[in-house]
Amino acid sequence: MTTRKRLLAVSAMTVLLSACGGGGDDDTPVPPPPPPPASGNVPTISQSVKDAAAAISADPKIRQLVAEWQTDADAQYRYDSHMELVRIASPSRYEFRRAQAIRQRLIDEWGFDEAEVVTREDGQLPGAGLQLVDGLPVYNVCAQIKGSYAGSQGAQAYKGQYPKVLIEGHIDTVYPAELPPESNPFEPIKLQSMAEAIVGTPEALAALPNALSFDGNGRIVRDAFYTQAYRRFDTADAATAAGALRHYVPGYSDAMGNAVGAFHIARMLKKYNIQPVYDIWVCGTAGEEGKGNLAGMKQLYGYNQDTGKGNNALNFVTNFSIDGGSGTINFIGSYRFEMKFKAPAEAAQGGATAPSALNAAAMAAARIADIKTPWDSDAKALKTTYTVGTMACEAPLPNGVTPSCTMQVDMRSPRLEPLNEIRSRIEPLFAAGMAQENARFGAAEGSAQAVSMELVWFGDRPPHERTDLSDVSIQSAWQAAETVGVDKRTELSLAASSLNDNVPAAIGVPTINLNISTNAAGGGTHAFYEWGVPGNANTEGLRLYRVMMAALIAAGVHTSDGKRIAPAAGPLGARTTEDQY
């Protein structure tokens, strides 16, 4: 029985708890050790990272690539591909249609061959240390930019896997919650003037008369509505004054603007034949939203939620997540449960003649409500929180019996210890509420006359607080921002978020969450009415450049004049277990 994941008994009152080195292609020196800790919240940037950024920036082929990103034609192409991919409905754990569309585009348009798309359409990822998450396939889509390192003398590998740098953005959305039929797999992209009020119901959204159009191959039609819709603005005020059109479609901002941007980095690296030293993988990841349980990252990093450890079998050495973060480096952890309380099998009548699933759930919720954390009484204490987020019951039967009620509890903290502590206090209360209701009627636990319960869903996002403010991901991203001249900061933010990065951070792989997409205005994240207005194209191009440069600093790169910029990262990625799952 494991110490991390806890499984709750279906019957009786019992709660069962289970729940570096260097290396190079030639005689180039190995990467230097990390610089000493920075003062304050400003990272210390090593001279080798500064030199790498300067060399990348000066490379003629890189400059040509970046110049293309700044053209009107490329900005419009990026918008078109964003619209064409975001309209494919992609609920968490059912992302296969969007993943297939990205795969097809990588091969048919962006120059990748079949072998360079390393994920499979059935959800299998060769070499990964974990294939299924929560018993379900994982529909990641990943393209590989092959580096030179594997062929170099003395190259180091982890069980045959050479070092990789990951750029990723998630491709799932909260809405719609259910996968639509194959006959109609698309969400419409409705258009509405910024001067009008945001829609309040799905019916109002469906009634909007104007929408973007697409041909039989799924490509956007540049008609009159397109001309009016594709206008970019710097601010919401400018967009409103110009009569800009809202684009309503789930995932417009979270996170397809960024995920599609990540693949435009892959497209340009391939087009301009940029060769890194370490391999660079660009992935659209599954399962970030809702009940996705970070499935995509758990597969990539071989993270087992039963043990809270990851094998990193693919040997990622640095992670750049592109989910809209402005340099996020700390990550809030959470445990989430859905517990189903089920009516007695022999309950022939309603009323007060038999234990009630609804009452059992309510009694458990009442007990949980009495739990306090230190933060409840002291705002300066570590912010550890929990909530009974939802309780939903099946419709009563004709005899008045409610067949079942499901309760969801969400626990969050930036540190593992208080998260486990609050969890250990809350978990027994599910069974206690059930026992209290059964005791009212003298129903023996586990009998056909008693309420029973079942764990129907468990979610695990491991927390992480950064201690090294000058690791390779932070240095690379910080220096790239300085060199490119976009999204520069005076200090690192220590605020924490719950993101895909939780997984690599928890097993020790340096990670930072960045942004590519630009929106002049937007809202409705995670709702049916998610919307946005296209933002500044030049800023978007610079953000693409910043992320690409950060990845090339970490991975190393061969310049146009034949020089080799050594990787800033060592060749052996961190892991917390050797176990394969």
Side-chain angles (χ1 to χ4, degrees):
M1 190 176 297
T2 64
T3 58
R4 182 170 175 87
K5 185 175 179 181
R6 299 161 182 196
L7 301 178
L8 296 144
V10 174
S11 61
M13 294 177 60
T14 306
V15 178
L16 300 177
L17 298 182
S18 71
C20 269
D25 296 59
D26 45 35
D27 58 352
T28 305
V30 298
S39 59
N41 296 334
V42 179
T44 299
I45 310 300
S46 67
Q47 189 60 49
S48 61
V49 167
K50 294 178 182 178
D51 292 345
I56 293 167
S57 177
D59 185 83
K61 196 155 52 172
I62 295 289
R63 295 176 72 86
Q64 185 181 1
L65 181 160
V66 173
E68 183 171 347
W69 270 335
Q70 296 293 350
T71 64
D72 292 341
D74 197 79
Q76 191 169 10
Y77 179 72
R78 298 194 303 265
Y79 167 85
D80 289 357
S81 58
H82 180 194
M83 295 301 99
E84 290 160 359
L85 291 169
V86 74
R87 67 190 284 258
I88 303 170
S90 190
S92 289
R93 307 314 308 268
Y94 297 97
E95 304 91 346
F96 51 86
R97 291 174 185 160
R98 189 174 279 167
Q100 288 168 357
I102 294 170
R103 178 186 182 89
Q104 182 178 7
R105 197 166 291 225
L106 284 164
I107 294 169
D108 293 348
E109 290 185 46
W110 295 342
F112 291 83
D113 60 38
E114 292 276 356
E116 292 171 320
V117 182
V118 293
T119 43
R120 292 182 2 192
E121 293 189 25
D122 62 2
Q124 295 290 298
L125 176 54
L130 180 71
Q131 295 297 346
L132 301 178
V133 175
D134 298 330
L136 298 174
V138 181
Y139 297 112
N140 289 326
V141 55
C142 297
Q144 175 182 250
I145 309 294
K146 191 66 178 173
S148 64
Y149 182 78
S152 63
Q153 184 177 4
Q156 298 184 52
Y158 176 74
K159 297 183 178 180
Q161 293 285 340
Y162 290 98
K164 303 171 182 68
V165 169
L166 180 62
I167 304 172
E168 67 83 23
H170 71 83
I171 61 171
D172 61 320
T173 53
V174 171
Y175 191 90
E178 303 293 333
L179 186 70
E182 179 62 34
S183 59
N184 186 24
F186 303 113
E187 291 289 307
I189 302 179
K190 292 285 190 172
L191 304 173
Q192 180 200 37
S193 170
M194 286 275 287
E196 299 175 16
I198 296 170
V199 299
T201 66
E203 293 76 19
L205 179 60
L208 292 178
N210 300 330
L212 291 174
S213 296
F214 300 84
D215 64 21
N217 295 318
R219 298 313 169 112
I220 201 164
V221 176
R222 294 185 177 183
D223 56 13
F225 289 130
Y226 174 97
T227 300
Q228 190 178 5
Y230 180 62
R231 293 181 294 159
R232 292 178 175 267
F233 300 92
D234 292 336
T235 65
D237 288 343
T240 302
L245 297 183
R246 293 189 184 97
H247 295 53
Y248 284 104
V249 63
Y252 180 93
S253 298
D254 189 12
M256 286 306 292
N258 281 296
V260 174
F263 282 106
H264 282 298
I265 293 174
R267 170 176 70 96
M268 288 301 215
L269 288 171
K270 190 68 174 175
K271 178 177 180 178
Y272 284 88
N273 194 28
I274 306 298
Q275 187 181 37
V277 177
Y278 296 162
D279 295 352
I280 293 177
W281 280 25
V282 180
C283 294
T285 47
E288 198 279 336
E289 301 287 11
K291 295 182 181 180
N293 204 12
L294 301 187
M297 297 298 272
K298 288 177 179 177
Q299 182 190 59
L300 286 167
Y301 284 95
Y303 177 87
N304 186 326
Q305 63 193 25
D306 288 348
T307 62
K309 295 181 179 181
N311 55 43
N312 191 13
L314 292 168
N315 197 24
F316 291 108
V317 296
T318 313
N319 189 100
F320 298 99
S321 288
I322 318 299
D323 290 332
S326 56
T328 307
I329 60 171
N330 289 322
F331 306 101
I332 295 173
S334 66
Y335 294 133
R336 290 187 287 171
F337 296 89
E338 278 189 0
M339 188 63 58
K340 177 183 281 189
F341 295 85
K342 298 187 288 188
E346 295 185 2
Q349 302 180 35
T353 61
S356 161
L358 175 58
N359 285 345
M363 289 175 179
R367 289 170 178 263
I368 291 170
D370 291 334
I371 296 292
K372 302 296 181 184
T373 73
W375 185 73
D376 288 320
S377 56
D378 181 3
K380 294 182 180 179
L382 187 71
K383 188 174 182 179
T384 300
T385 64
Y386 70 91
T387 181
V388 179
T390 61
M391 187 183 295
C393 297
E394 292 183 80
L397 300 172
N399 63 7
V401 173
T402 298
S404 70
C405 289
T406 301
M407 179 170 64
Q408 184 180 94
V409 178
D410 186 316
M411 295 158 263
R412 299 186 178 219
S413 179
R415 294 181 191 161
L416 186 60
E417 293 78 9
L419 190 61
N420 283 337
E421 192 274 336
I422 195 68
R423 179 178 176 182
S424 69
R425 294 166 64 193
I426 284 175
E427 281 185 354
L429 303 182
F430 293 117
M434 178 184 69
Q436 182 180 357
E437 175 63 6
N438 285 332
R440 291 176 61 216
F441 298 89
E445 300 294 335
S447 71
Q449 294 79 36
V451 169
S452 61
M453 69 182 189
E454 174 189 8
L455 179 69
V456 294
W457 183 72
F458 166 83
D460 171 31
R461 293 191 178 211
H464 184 74
E465 283 187 305
R466 209 59 146 255
T467 56
D468 180 3
L469 299 186
S470 298
D471 71 29
V472 65
S473 68
I474 294 173
Q475 282 198 63
S476 300
W478 182 281
Q479 185 58 49
E482 291 290 317
T483 302
V484 172
V486 68
D487 295 337
K488 297 193 294 183
R489 305 180 68 97
T490 57
E491 65 176 1
L492 294 165
S493 171
L494 301 185
S497 295
S498 180
L499 298 163
N500 262 345
D501 309 67
N502 283 55
V503 171
I507 68 173
V509 175
T511 184
I512 188 168
N513 199 285
L514 304 174
N515 188 42
I516 289 174
S517 178
T518 58
N519 279 337
T525 301
H526 296 174
F528 70 89
Y529 59 91
E530 184 171 349
W531 64 275
V533 174
N536 186 288
N538 289 334
T539 299
E540 182 178 85
L542 291 175
R543 287 175 171 170
L544 287 162
Y545 184 18
R546 185 254 183 118
V547 173
M548 181 185 73
M549 178 180 285
L552 291 175
I553 291 171
V557 65
H558 296 270
T559 59
S560 299
D561 60 2
K563 294 180 180 177
R564 174 186 178 274
I565 300 174
L572 299 179
R575 55 192 47 83
T576 48
T577 183
E578 300 279 332
D579 295 334
Q580 302 289 302
Y581 309 121

